[in-house]
Amino acid sequence: MAETETTANNHFLMAEEGISTEDKKVHGNNNTSGPRPVREKLIYGVEDRPPWPTIFLMGIQHFSISFSGCFAVPLVIAKPLCFDVDRELLNQLLGTSFFVAGITTFLQSFLGTRLPIIQGCSASFIIPVFVLFGLQGPCPPPINSNSTIEERQFVKEVAYGRMQQIQGSICVASLAQVLLGFTGLVGLLLRFIRPITITTTLLLISIEILPWASDSCGTHWGISSLCIFLVTLFSQFLNKYDIPLPRGNKLAVFTMVIIRNYCPFQVLLSVVITWILCLILTAAGAFPDDPSEYGYKARTDVYSDALRESAWFRFPYPGQFGVPKVSIAGFVGILGGVMASVVESLGDYHACAFISNTPPPPVHAINRGVAMEGLGCIAAGLWGAPSGFTSYSNNISIMSITKVASRVTVYCATGLFVISGMIFKFNAFYSGMPEPIIGGIMATTFGMVASIGFANLAFIKVDSSRNLFILGIALFLGIGIPDFLVKNPGAINTGSTVVDQVLNVILGSGMFIGGVGACILDNIVPGTADEKGLNWRKEMAGLVDDDVDDKDEEDKKLRCYDLPFGMNWIRRTHWMRCFPLSPTFVGFRTKFISLNNQI
């Protein structure tokens, strides 16, 4: 049976020649949208505990593949926050992002869905932040060795003031995400969000953030092109060839699998090789010494002073940038980012469940997952991370390659994130990465956002005139309206400064305008079930038929979604069945399934 890998949210293997009769009992027989996904045997399942060397190696894998997102998103958001003009402030921002990523990942894997999913900085928060602070003017000049104490203090006040606005907005907006999870309302949200809405939202995110990656690449196209080429080479070509190694015990076999399929390290390998080349070229004098000349930012010694002067350790703590503040415009803009990250995570839950050979996440697990992500975003706001956090589909691909889905390996990655966030030298070192390399990382990382959007089109009838119309109108709204506001800054003038700011943030976010437009049109324009993709969540999970032949076996498999403590008491307590986060929750389960069948 031939198999191919899909990307992003669809991280499962597709059968090209159909499936057997036995498989149909598991995957259903009503799927008419194309090839059916086929589950593969794992070396270690979700609840298995591999040997400690294997846990450590897989923890490094998860950390490495998620590193680029946790690194690239803060670097982009640092620009409107003015944290990039002072390397010390940028180091603090990166350290805080890594530290909070560890906290949110632990909340998700220990108390949330209980699936091995990494949490990282969400790109959906980039656009609202740029729109919000684009109305507040430019940042102060960059800090250098000749800057006075007064200039450094002024930069810190500006950066801290902007960060406080983001912190408060993230905390308050994330309460909506917590509410969706704790009340079980996320099940109702699923009724209205379909693939075309996800596609439009993610495409618009990519369209708006890729120009910033282009600016960084433009500091030296040769270096950035080499970085992109290496990522392509490692991830798309060299991983096709096996390196023969002797077989032995399970650990030796697993080590062979890691070495043979080393594409999870594609970003890290590409960065290391390109960085070493920049180091050699800098020592050889190939790059100019004048900051105003092309290619200067490819030098490796631009921020060497910041690395030498930085402390070895720094512990991020809540309120380190001051007391969070809330503005109406900031709240509205960040709320759009929160809802986009919820949509993205719902697809990741189903994809991770399929890869890890577990049943599709029940409604109580989805409720807990969304709730824990909301609490993680609130933690991000309290600690001072530049964006909210969401589930990363990157590490799901590792499980499909290595066949290791153990939850314990994610706990190991959690520890690595927390430790790296406290080692200040580590953050200072990576913040000094040559800008063309950063541009290459952004191009590959944020380019995948658009790929995720396109991948969701597999669940609808793409050539339908209805869907083409909706997608075209939504993309126009998401691109045209923000572009009009940029070219006509005074177009919105209601007489109220607050109302003007709120409208500018809402209408200036193409992701929000296009996503809402696509959602509304997709729910009001008539269409067939195939055109709307009504069964897309079941198809993504590999299930179309809700009937299960062996109920006891199904219940046993669902135990992986149980809480790690207190389950005997929870099962004995009748009222816990009414609590949406409880593993025994049945209050909305029937309604949830009914809604899925209706839409």
Side-chain angles (χ1 to χ4, degrees):
M1 184 177 292
E3 298 166 352
T4 58
E5 254 187 70
T6 59
T7 58
N9 279 349
N10 304 313
H11 291 290
F12 45 70
L13 300 177
M14 306 294 288
E16 295 180 347
E17 300 176 359
I19 59 176
S20 65
T21 304
E22 181 178 355
D23 288 330
K24 290 181 181 179
K25 294 179 180 179
V26 179
H27 302 295
N29 53 12
N30 299 322
N31 188 354
T32 61
S33 62
R36 299 179 178 88
V38 177
R39 297 177 186 262
E40 286 197 350
K41 184 178 180 181
L42 297 174
I43 299 176
Y44 297 103
V46 172
E47 297 193 288
D48 294 335
R49 183 182 293 273
W52 280 109
T54 303
I55 293 175
F56 183 69
L57 286 173
M58 278 304 303
I60 294 177
Q61 291 256 62
H62 285 303
F63 174 79
S64 300
I65 196 65
S66 305
F67 170 82
S68 59
C70 291
F71 177 72
V73 173
L75 282 180
V76 174
I77 298 184
K79 298 180 183 297
L81 293 180
C82 302
F83 272 71
D84 64 326
V85 301
D86 188 340
R87 306 312 292 186
E88 182 179 356
L89 294 179
L90 184 58
N91 298 341
Q92 295 176 13
L93 196 68
L94 292 175
T96 303
S97 300
F98 287 127
F99 186 84
V100 178
I103 294 176
T104 54
T105 299
F106 180 78
L107 285 175
Q108 182 65 262
S109 57
F110 189 72
L111 296 175
T113 59
R114 301 275 291 156
L115 291 170
I117 302 180
I118 297 290
Q119 302 288 295
C121 297
S122 174
S124 62
F125 289 81
I126 294 178
I127 299 172
V129 173
F130 265 84
V131 173
L132 178 64
F133 291 111
L135 305 174
Q136 300 186 14
C139 294
I143 295 296
N144 53 49
S145 57
N146 298 324
S147 300
T148 64
I149 297 178
E150 290 76 14
E151 290 174 335
R152 293 178 181 272
Q153 185 62 31
F154 176 70
V155 167
K156 182 177 291 188
E157 290 176 359
V158 173
Y160 280 19
R162 295 193 176 197
M163 173 57 77
Q164 290 165 13
Q165 296 181 51
I166 291 299
Q167 288 182 257
S169 299
I170 290 177
C171 287
V172 177
S174 298
L175 291 175
Q177 191 171 1
V178 175
L179 184 65
L180 284 175
F182 272 90
T183 61
L185 291 176
V186 67
L188 297 178
L189 183 66
L190 287 173
R191 179 179 183 181
F192 304 101
I193 297 177
R194 302 191 188 113
I196 200 166
T197 301
I198 299 175
T199 298
T200 303
T201 302
L202 297 182
L203 282 178
L204 289 171
I205 291 175
S206 180
I207 289 172
E208 295 200 38
I209 64 181
L210 281 179
W212 304 322
S214 177
D215 292 340
S216 295
C217 290
T219 57
H220 196 293
W221 277 106
I223 297 298
S224 59
S225 298
L226 175 62
C227 184
I228 296 173
F229 168 77
L230 290 175
V231 173
T232 305
L233 180 67
F234 292 146
S235 62
Q236 304 301 322
F237 292 97
L238 295 187
N239 68 317
K240 310 297 181 184
Y241 300 95
D242 293 345
I243 301 175
L245 293 174
R247 293 181 177 270
N249 55 28
K250 286 185 177 181
L251 178 59
V253 173
F254 180 59
T255 305
M256 179 188 66
V257 172
I258 289 183
I259 296 176
R260 188 174 61 191
N261 300 289
Y262 62 93
C263 65
F265 292 107
Q266 74 272 34
V267 174
L268 193 59
L269 283 172
S270 304
V271 167
V272 170
I273 293 173
T274 313
W275 203 337
I276 291 175
L277 177 62
C278 288
L279 181 64
I280 295 173
L281 294 177
T282 300
F287 299 131
D289 298 327
D290 186 355
S292 62
E293 293 187 22
Y294 173 81
Y296 172 77
K297 291 188 176 182
R299 297 182 63 92
T300 57
D301 57 358
V302 174
Y303 304 111
S304 56
D305 292 340
L307 177 60
R308 286 194 300 267
E309 296 172 2
S310 63
W312 273 99
F313 299 98
R314 182 181 183 276
F315 184 78
Y317 57 90
Q320 59 183 329
F321 301 124
V323 179
K325 301 177 182 178
V326 183
S327 66
I328 297 178
F331 164 75
V332 173
I334 295 299
L335 182 62
V338 168
M339 299 310 296
S341 67
V342 170
V343 174
E344 181 182 353
S345 294
L346 292 176
D348 288 334
Y349 297 163
H350 287 83
C352 185
F354 181 84
I355 289 298
S356 58
N357 275 358
T358 59
V363 65
H364 65 80
I366 294 178
N367 292 340
R368 290 202 310 271
V370 172
M372 290 303 111
E373 282 196 19
L375 292 178
C377 289
I378 292 176
L382 295 177
W383 258 267
S387 71
F389 284 71
T390 188
S391 296
Y392 269 11
S393 56
N394 308 48
N395 75 301
I396 299 175
S397 62
I398 296 180
M399 294 184 290
S400 67
I401 293 172
T402 62
K403 306 299 182 291
V404 176
S406 174
R407 187 187 297 123
V408 182
T409 61
V410 172
Y411 293 159
C412 180
T414 295
L416 292 175
F417 273 113
V418 172
I419 293 173
S420 64
M422 294 187 294
I423 301 178
F424 208 53
K425 283 286 187 183
F426 175 85
N427 304 310
F429 175 73
Y430 276 101
S431 68
M433 183 184 300
E435 189 162 344
I437 302 179
I438 296 174
I441 296 176
M442 291 180 183
T444 54
T445 302
F446 296 145
M448 283 296 297
V449 176
S451 301
I452 294 172
F454 284 119
N456 283 277
L457 293 177
F459 298 101
I460 64 175
K461 191 175 181 181
V462 183
D463 59 351
S464 165
S465 59
R466 170 193 183 272
N467 291 338
L468 293 176
F469 173 81
I470 294 174
L471 186 61
I473 291 295
L475 289 176
F476 168 75
L477 293 176
I479 297 174
I481 294 178
D483 181 66
F484 173 79
L485 293 180
V486 170
K487 295 178 179 178
N488 301 273
I492 297 179
N493 185 9
T494 63
S496 171
T497 303
V498 174
V499 174
D500 289 349
Q501 191 177 32
V502 171
L503 291 178
N504 272 287
V505 170
I506 294 176
L507 299 178
S509 176
M511 169 198 70
F512 182 80
I513 294 297
V516 171
C519 185
I520 293 175
L521 289 173
D522 193 30
N523 281 278
I524 64 175
V525 175
T528 64
D530 287 341
E531 288 178 320
K532 295 182 178 181
L534 298 185
N535 288 321
W536 73 276
R537 285 180 294 275
K538 296 178 182 179
E539 293 172 12
M540 178 178 287
L543 295 174
V544 176
D545 192 355
D546 289 317
D547 296 333
V548 178
D549 294 337
D550 191 342
K551 185 63 177 176
D552 293 337
E553 184 66 21
E554 175 71 7
D555 291 339
K556 183 179 179 180
K557 290 182 177 180
L558 286 171
R559 294 293 175 88
C560 67
Y561 295 106
D562 286 352
L563 291 172
F565 52 81
M567 285 307 303
N568 291 333
W569 176 81
I570 291 175
R571 290 193 175 94
R572 291 196 308 266
T573 307
H574 181 76
W575 61 267
M576 286 295 293
R577 299 179 181 178
C578 302
F579 186 46
L581 305 188
S582 171
T584 59
F585 175 66
V586 295
F588 300 144
R589 183 173 178 84
T590 302
K591 295 180 181 179
F592 177 77
I593 295 175
S594 175
L595 285 174
N596 280 343
N597 290 335
Q598 290 176 13
I599 63 174

